[in-house]
Amino acid sequence: ADIISTVEFNYTGDLLATGDKGGRVVIFQREQETKSRPLSRGEYNVYSTFQSHEPEFDYLKSLEIEEKINKIRWLPQQNAAHFLLSTNDKTIKLWKISERDKRAEGYNLKDEDGRLREPFRVTELRVPTLKPMDLMVEASPRRTFANAHTYHINSISVNSDYATYLSADDLRINLWHLEVTNRSFNIVDIKPANMEELTEVITAAEFHPHHCNVFFSNAENVGGRKSWHWFHVELCVLSAVFEEPEDPSSRSFFSEIISSISDVKFSHSGRYMMTRDYLSVKVWDLNMENRPVETYQVHEYLRSKLCSLYENDCIFDKFECCWNGSDSTIMTGSYNNFFRTFEREAQRDVTLEASRESSKPRAVLKPRKVCTSGKRKKDEITVDSLDFNKKILHTAWHPMENIIAVAATNNLYLFQEKVN
């Protein structure tokens, strides 16, 4: 239940939220630097923990609905409180996280312990006063958006107008207003009249970071071809299809599975988008539809292991990817608790490991290398030695600084760029 299923920084990077398979949301707050602790700026401590979703049962379909948190998305802060959206397979909730450090005392109709007083005992008029109290962080559900998805929700994305958001499942994309819970607009529906004629499914969807009328969705063709669709919301007009032709000579039994897109992310500038499939990360220029402008191999050495990865179901793992604040570097996860970063301009990449043995506080991470052939060097690890039960599926990058969050099963690791 405590396996982390999503990680997300808020817009300022001062808060970091994680969701787990038990339906819990844990929020970490960044420590502020002080004269006595000048190096505490990158430290995050638990700020709030609350139960977001509970297990449910769909009696009409005789299906259990897991409490697992699939996605968390923050809303920009408008006042003293913070707001976030969290979703499981069927229901999206809007949560308000607020602080309270004062309490009211001196009620007229209630005793100090909260019990109502008898009316005849009220003989004078008192003015309630606010008294200091220990800081209390409260998480309260503000709205519940339910009963709009037949299939499992795989994506939610807040629009740049900060008034609407989209939610996507395998066959439909809905547009919601944050103030309206009983109605949503179905803007994409690819469900065929006969499900035996199903040709593609939606695996990810996201709004453009600057244009509130544009969003992007990925469609996986059941026949093996893959495409990324670019829509305009007002009329839901398909503007472009990004598709990479497949090399017939390299086609195999696993081609369809490993080409499945597990994550899509727009760059902060809005010029590029990044897609993650099983073996690679691709960067696309929105002005060029026929091929990606950059391709980074994450763990190409696993191509020879696809048969065993298929047998143990690891080939169906959904890895996420993320940009750094300046869009100059991208990050994604791998197996053996490895995660990889790729510097786009310098064409440099590095493999790092998130584990308790190698991640001591204030220690500098050493790059790791995987030996694919020949004699293994001292610091290398062979492909056969990789632990496929240890995997980095969820990663997040601070929106402005080089601080990264990496979820390894039920452990959360935070790494900060070393400052001399």
Side-chain angles (χ1 to χ4, degrees):
D2 58 354
I3 293 177
I4 298 173
S5 55
T6 184
V7 181
E8 189 78 11
F9 280 102
N10 73 339
Y11 280 74
T12 63
D14 290 333
L15 296 177
L16 171 67
T18 66
D20 64 23
K21 287 191 173 182
R24 291 179 298 271
V25 173
V26 181
I27 300 175
F28 300 86
Q29 184 181 46
R30 188 176 187 178
E31 290 294 317
Q32 299 299 317
E33 277 185 316
T34 61
K35 290 183 179 180
S36 59
R37 302 185 65 202
L39 298 177
S40 64
R41 182 80 175 122
E43 293 182 5
Y44 285 75
N45 292 317
V46 175
Y47 179 65
S48 177
T49 302
F50 59 92
Q51 188 73 28
S52 175
H53 288 70
E54 299 282 356
E56 300 175 39
F57 191 81
D58 187 335
Y59 292 96
L60 291 177
K61 298 181 179 179
S62 296
L63 291 174
E64 291 184 1
I65 302 173
E66 283 186 316
E67 64 270 36
K68 172 192 169 190
I69 307 297
N70 291 342
K71 295 289 181 182
I72 290 174
R73 290 292 180 265
W74 290 92
L75 275 65
Q77 188 176 7
Q78 306 290 342
N79 49 41
H82 299 273
F83 291 86
L84 62 81
L85 291 166
S86 64
T87 183
N88 65 351
D89 286 340
K90 299 292 183 182
T91 304
I92 306 160
K93 294 183 179 181
L94 175 66
W95 290 88
K96 176 184 179 182
I97 296 92
S98 55
E99 295 182 355
R100 192 172 66 178
D101 59 359
K102 293 181 176 62
R103 68 173 183 271
E105 291 184 358
Y107 290 104
N108 288 284
L109 301 179
K110 289 192 296 185
D111 291 329
E112 298 305 328
D113 58 2
R115 290 182 298 181
L116 288 174
R117 301 169 66 185
E118 297 290 342
F120 65 86
R121 295 183 184 275
V122 181
T123 58
E124 59 180 350
L125 179 65
R126 296 191 295 179
V127 178
T129 58
L130 292 176
K131 296 292 182 66
M133 60 176 283
D134 292 337
L135 178 65
M136 179 184 296
V137 180
E138 295 179 321
S140 53
R142 305 296 291 182
R143 291 177 182 80
T144 299
F145 307 88
N147 305 319
H149 285 278
T150 306
Y151 306 97
H152 292 176
I153 299 172
N154 56 48
S155 302
I156 52 176
S157 179
V158 179
N159 201 351
S160 58
D161 61 10
Y162 305 136
T164 57
Y165 74 93
L166 65 78
S167 59
D169 63 26
D170 294 340
L171 297 179
R172 293 188 178 96
I173 300 177
N174 293 332
L175 181 67
W176 301 84
H177 195 285
L178 287 165
E179 300 291 335
V180 181
T181 61
N182 61 352
R183 183 173 66 251
S184 65
F185 297 94
N186 178 230
I187 52 179
V188 174
D189 188 347
I190 62 172
K191 182 181 179 181
N194 182 359
M195 285 296 284
E196 293 181 358
E197 300 173 359
L198 181 68
T199 59
E200 60 183 9
V201 294
I202 298 167
T203 60
E206 183 170 316
F207 266 117
H208 191 279
H210 307 307
H211 304 306
C212 64
N213 64 328
V214 174
F215 73 96
F216 186 80
S217 76
N218 167 65
E220 284 301 327
N221 287 6
V222 176
R225 291 172 59 245
K226 53 186 177 179
S227 60
W228 298 272
H229 295 165
W230 178 257
F231 291 94
H232 283 280
V233 172
E234 306 103 327
L235 303 174
C236 212
V237 177
L238 177 60
S239 299
V241 176
F242 296 79
E243 188 169 353
E244 184 180 19
E246 185 181 21
D247 183 3
S249 63
S250 63
R251 180 161 179 79
S252 70
F253 172 79
F254 304 107
S255 296
E256 179 182 334
I257 302 173
I258 64 175
S259 66
S260 175
I261 301 301
S262 56
D263 197 17
V264 174
K265 291 280 172 45
F266 277 107
S267 64
H268 295 85
S269 66
R271 171 70 185 274
Y272 302 96
M273 64 182 174
M274 171 171 53
T275 60
R276 171 70 206 263
D277 57 40
Y278 188 68
L279 294 178
S280 64
V281 174
K282 295 181 174 69
V283 176
W284 299 74
D285 189 321
L286 297 186
N287 298 317
M288 189 167 76
E289 306 166 22
N290 58 344
R291 62 182 176 86
V293 292
E294 301 163 26
T295 300
Y296 302 98
Q297 300 300 332
V298 179
H299 38 216
E300 183 65 18
Y301 47 77
L302 295 182
R303 192 175 289 273
S304 62
K305 299 286 183 182
L306 293 179
C307 187
S308 58
L309 291 167
Y310 178 80
E311 291 175 352
N312 62 17
D313 284 344
C314 285
I315 200 170
F316 301 105
D317 286 333
K318 302 297 184 183
F319 292 95
E320 296 178 1
C321 53
C322 59
W323 301 85
N324 72 338
S326 61
D327 299 332
S328 62
T329 307
I330 60 180
M331 176 174 64
T332 191
S334 181
Y335 293 104
N336 207 69
N337 279 0
F338 289 168
F339 61 96
R340 306 208 63 201
T341 61
F342 301 91
E343 294 182 50
R344 299 176 60 205
E345 289 290 333
Q347 293 293 307
R348 286 199 303 262
D349 61 271
V350 63
T351 302
L352 300 171
E353 182 180 3
S355 67
R356 294 190 179 186
E357 294 77 20
S358 63
S359 305
K360 296 179 181 178
R362 305 296 176 192
V364 178
L365 289 181
K366 293 182 179 179
R368 302 300 305 270
K369 289 187 178 181
V370 178
C371 175
T372 55
S373 62
K375 189 176 181 181
R376 182 175 67 91
K377 296 181 181 179
K378 180 182 178 182
D379 295 331
E380 292 182 337
I381 182 172
T382 63
V383 177
D384 294 327
S385 301
L386 296 174
D387 188 343
F388 294 105
N389 292 317
K390 297 179 179 179
K391 58 192 79 171
I392 304 291
L393 299 178
H394 312 288
T395 59
W397 204 307
H398 191 285
M400 288 169 280
E401 300 180 34
N402 281 332
I403 299 175
I404 58 176
V406 174
T409 317
N410 59 345
N411 295 311
L412 178 68
Y413 296 90
L414 287 163
F415 301 103
Q416 182 178 23
E417 182 183 33
K418 182 176 172 59
V419 179
N420 295 324

